[in-house]
Amino acid sequence: MSNAKERKHAKKMRNQPTNVTLSSGFVADRGVKHHIGGGKPSQAEKQEPHSGTGRLWQAKMTSHSLSEPDGNELCSSKVMFKKKGGWKAGPEGTSQEIPKYITASTFAQARAAEISAMLKAVTQKSSNSLVFQTLPRHMRRRAMSHNVRRLPRRLQEMAQKEAEKAVHQKKEHSKSKCHKARRCHINRLLEFNRRQKKNRWLETHIWHAKRFHMVKKWGYCLGDRPTVKSHRACYRAMTSRCLLQDLSYYCCLELKGKEEEILKALSQMCSVDTGLTFAAVHCLSGKRQGSLLLYRANKYPRQVLGPATFIWKSEMTPGDLATCRQLWIWLHPTLKQEEEGTGETPHRWWMEACKNPDSLSLHRRQEAIFELLGGVTSPAEIPAGTVLGLTIGDPRINMPQKRTKALSSPENCQDNEKVRQLLLEGVPVECTHSFIWDQDICKSVTENKISDQDLNRMRSELLVPGSQLVLGPRESKIPILLIQQPGKVTGEDRLGWGSGWDVLSPKGWGMAFWIPFIYRGARVGGLKEAAVHSQYKRSPAIPGDYPDSPAGILFAEEQARNLLEKYKRRPPAKRPNYVKLGTLAPFCCPWEHLARDWESRICAQDESWVSWSPDGQESTSLGRDVVRGAAEPKRASQAPGVPEEMMHMECQAHSGPRRARDPVLREVCIAASGTQLCVLRSRKLLKQLSAWCRPSSEDSRASQRARGGCQEKLTREACLSILAHFPRALVWVSLALLRKGSPEPHTMVCVPAREDVLQLRQDRHYCGPQEPKHSDPFKSKNLKRQQRKHEGRATATELAAGEPVAELEAPTRGLWSGPLPGVTAHCSRPLLGFVTQGDFSMAVGCGEALGFVSLTGLLHMLACQPAAQRGLVLLRPPASPQYRFARIAIEV
Amino acid sequence: MAENREPRGTPVEAELDPVEYTLRKRLPHRLPRRPNDIYVNMKTDFKAQLARCQKLLDGGARNQNGCGEIYIHGLGLAINRAINIALQLQAGSFGSLQVAANTSTVELVDELEPETDAREPMTRIRNNSAIHIRVFRVTPK
């Protein structure tokens, strides 16, 4: 093979002039260097730059680098090459490289050095691969890595060395203890404790770790998603069966003290505007669980912390204000850091115990209610947030032999008066009492738990294998608390979807409850399933959908970083060019920019409105005129005119008199008029917006009723009064696609142009406009940079250290670099907001998305749209030029 | 599953102040379903629901003989559709299917969620009519 190659080379070289021949020889040298990986030959060459033979030999080596050097063959080839090669033909005198004489000793020395270097290079393996991996495929044999003798004899030695090395390395790695010792219980526990120093484990961690992809989040090790394919199965479990999740990573804060004091301290952290607070009557009695939004003290409507749920411990003697009350607040772990500074006496509880339920009658009543619950087929049928305390036996004893499906049997579903009473009134206050509130009892329950090992031993000692284990008085009594979760309560469709129960058990009992639940047919979900659940419920997911909270901002940053890294891993030709697609921010949602842009945009329009208002203001109630009026200034707004400061003042002046009229809202306005972003969460305003978003059909009576009659009409006055209070606000909206399309996170919500709506009205199957291709302003810069790099490589002057610096400076191709220009007017349709959660919804059967839009933009859009088409928007994913129609809705 | 609509103009509604309470409708109380119970709703396509009933009567690939009878339940607005489905089934059967209808009243619970802290949540009951149609096979004479 080598001979043939050489001959070919010689043929090629025959008619070449000398200088070219030599340079090609140089190229061949480089090839050798490359092949052997910086071995000695280059050095040898330096020593003897003028010897043609040396060069020849090296050229030869290209084909022989792997095989052993064969002296005979080399010699013969050299001779042959000399005969045929261009050297003989070339004029000898012209080249200065050919020496007139050579000293034999130095020449031989140099050759000797070369030969030794060559030999060394041949014996030394340069690449990272193992010896047997360098063999050509047809020479490989099964189990070569394991058995050295299967290799060719000449490689056996090297392979032997390698194998020894590998064994040695492994030994260094291995644990100090043998396998058996490592599996010993105490050692395992020590090891487990060491491993959860940084990220705590839940009680069900080991169960999860075997079946789930785990992630380290919020200081815990949590199951992200099951390793089995179970997206649809989990969805079915959510809708009709039971989806189980370990939520013990939620933090519980216990507040103890006088009722008024607690309420007083906490009232600063929440607002009546956003709904009920800690002081709601039914929650205060301990009958129901409440949920609310926490704000930093006295900072409403800005600086939200996040959502929280809470339960008060029910009082045995109501009306006694002097008694000490207990309050549990459940928080997502991302909010913990902020919360702990503000709470009064926050200390984590973790559960308790009970030996003998003293009030037996109460226990009986609770039991009776639990029996009744068997007759309720869906948890959504009973009042929202119902709390029920129970004291139960060991759940491990009644476990079925095999995993079963949970089926409600018809015989315990009698539709009697008692069930009806329960559905109407909920659980009576007395029955909400549970010993789980008592820390000492909880502790004793945890300590006196019979271990799994003992339980199994007792089972094995049973006379009849597999019969029921009767522990009698030794059986532990566990206090638990059941809290109903109402599922989907907002909106109009799929009411009560995803409702369920929270079970609070004492510490240490997690696994004891977990396995029986699974044996009774529950399916377990992880964080991903929780996200799907909240999306189908159309409720905001906890850290991601609170863009004004510190946790939300952190989450967004992290997400953007991950997505960017993922994007950069692909070659530029295999990833979307977001600059050309007109997507300014594909990995994050620039809420601040968005809100600011809309504010200035509207202010610019206001100016033109002022000049136009004399005939327009009277006819605002008609709506249509507003449309025409607002559509014209749109053109004006695109031209950059008045500086932003002035526009802001203009806006303030407009809202001035109205603010004075409403003294209650004035304070809110002062608080909100700062530059900071806030999310509109006032229920009153949201209700109004939600009514405006609906398309008003011909059946005006129905829509009137839906609006509650007393709602204001959508007028410019009303819009301005809202905008004056919340100049830079976002609104949480849900979007349902009309036809095709499944939105993804960071999808852009845009305002449709008039012709889009017209076209949709003419053709029901019209799927939406397309975004024209944008030009890439960074392309020329990129090209220049590339050219420079090429030049640098040609001259070989570029230093190795210089290159990474240049790489850092270079912007990622396909991404917008530098500060963002005006976000709203960058594309052909003005940008309204972004989607934070979005996917094809199996619950509805079409694409559904949740996200935030700018309040200013939304009001402007609604005012511009004709009443029948109100609430139509366009959605465009970051990596697609296609817009799709969607309907916007605000659910309160 | 059936569509439940608010009855119009009930006197209770007049008393309510929408500023103080939000109306939240709860799901109707559901009894466990047998395989041959079909609850008709207004959201699923009519044809799909009809086909489902037909399939149950004919017997799918799994159970060769199929059900001898099915029960079609409709509540409120869906009563109309339930009747429609039953009649369509009968008309397409060349006389081998008979229908027998029962009507009933279903109690529905509306929850009134307070908007202010000082008020207790309330529930109120309203009635809605429902229909249960038994569609069964007879041997044609």
Side-chain angles (χ1 to χ4, degrees), chain B residues 77-94:
Chain B
L77 190 65
I79 291 178
N80 205 353
R81 183 170 271 197
I83 295 171
N84 215 339
I85 285 178
L87 291 180
Q88 288 278 329
L89 284 174
Q90 197 190 14
S93 70
F94 304 107

Side-chain angles (χ1 to χ4, degrees), chain A residues 512-738:
Chain A
F513 279 87
W514 193 254
I515 297 295
F517 279 145
I518 292 162
Y519 268 64
R520 292 285 178 195
R523 181 172 274 278
V524 184
L527 292 177
K528 201 197 104 208
E529 277 67 37
V532 169
H533 185 244
S534 85
Q535 191 195 328
Y536 288 179
K537 240 169 67 179
R538 298 197 194 129
S539 61
I542 283 185
D545 290 339
Y546 291 87
D548 48 345
S549 74
I553 292 166
L554 257 175
F555 175 83
E557 276 169 9
E558 195 180 321
Q559 198 186 27
R561 214 178 310 124
N562 289 339
L563 286 174
L564 180 67
E565 245 166 53
K566 205 176 164 194
Y567 180 77
K568 277 182 175 170
R569 277 204 295 267
R570 285 177 166 265
K574 300 283 181 290
R575 62 195 190 194
N577 186 336
Y578 288 120
V579 179
K580 282 192 173 171
L581 284 163
T583 310
L584 283 180
F587 307 133
C588 60
C589 308
W591 301 120
E592 296 269 358
H593 273 267
L594 182 81
R596 209 185 320 126
D597 276 13
W598 269 106
E599 193 186 1
S600 51
R601 215 182 143 113
I602 287 297
C603 286
Q605 283 177 21
D606 266 1
E607 282 188 348
S608 44
W609 245 345
V610 170
S611 60
W612 165 81
S613 54
D615 56 340
Q617 212 121 46
E618 276 93 49
S619 56
T620 37
S621 55
L622 279 170
R624 292 285 166 117
D625 286 29
V626 182
V627 175
R628 219 160 289 144
E632 275 165 19
K634 202 186 263 176
R635 244 172 286 133
S637 74
Q638 245 119 32
V642 199
E644 203 201 336
E645 281 301 302
M646 274 185 62
M647 291 185 229
H648 196 81
M649 279 166 63
E650 177 76 28
C651 197
Q652 294 285 339
H654 262 273
S655 57
R658 237 157 269 129
R659 241 197 289 170
R661 215 193 298 153
D662 199 345
V664 184
L665 282 171
R666 201 191 313 163
E667 285 163 31
V668 178
C669 169
I670 290 160
S673 61
T675 50
Q676 228 181 353
L677 184 79
C678 73
V679 174
L680 185 67
R681 293 200 177 92
S682 154
R683 286 179 61 85
K684 202 178 126 205
L685 288 178
L686 281 177
K687 268 185 186 169
Q688 199 164 44
L689 275 177
S690 138
W692 287 344
C693 277
R694 268 179 233 134
S696 53
S697 50
E698 292 78 47
D699 185 15
S700 59
R701 199 166 51 125
S703 63
Q704 271 289 313
R705 204 152 43 79
R707 285 175 195 189
C710 63
Q711 292 284 352
E712 285 180 68
K713 282 260 170 57
L714 175 59
T715 57
R716 198 168 146 260
E717 303 268 318
C719 291
L720 278 178
S721 75
I722 293 178
L723 287 185
H725 302 310
F726 295 96
R728 289 183 191 179
L730 300 175
V731 196
W732 172 253
V733 293
S734 70
L735 304 145
L737 277 109
L738 294 191

Side-chain angles (χ1 to χ4, degrees), chain A residues 45-89:
Chain A
E45 193 210 37
K46 226 180 270 168
Q47 278 182 356
E48 198 69 36
H50 306 303
S51 92
T53 44
R55 204 163 291 138
L56 246 186
W57 198 23
Q58 284 188 5
K60 170 81 192 109
M61 274 315 292
T62 48
S63 54
H64 264 269
S65 57
L66 268 179
S67 60
E68 285 169 285
D70 188 334
N72 270 338
E73 199 195 8
L74 269 179
C75 266
S76 67
S77 74
K78 189 163 76 178
V79 172
M80 204 162 65
F81 197 33
K82 266 204 167 168
K83 264 182 198 162
K84 283 186 181 173
W87 277 39
K88 231 172 92 178

Side-chain angles (χ1 to χ4, degrees), chain A residues 277 281 377 381 420 423, chain B residues 26 29-30 107 115 117-118:
Chain A
T277 63
V281 183
T377 37
E381 288 173 31
R420 195 167 161 248
L423 295 187
Chain B
R26 248 190 252 159
H29 184 63
R30 269 175 79 177
E107 278 184 350
E115 291 283 312
D117 283 342

Side-chain angles (χ1 to χ4, degrees), chain A residues 811-849:
Chain A
T812 319
R813 250 197 286 169
L815 277 185
W816 193 274
S817 56
L820 298 179
V823 231
T824 51
H826 185 69
C827 295
S828 62
R829 308 288 184 276
L831 183 73
L832 197 62
F834 291 98
V835 164
T836 55
Q837 306 177 49
D839 201 355
F840 181 83
S841 167
M842 285 196 276
V844 192
C846 69
E848 253 200 335

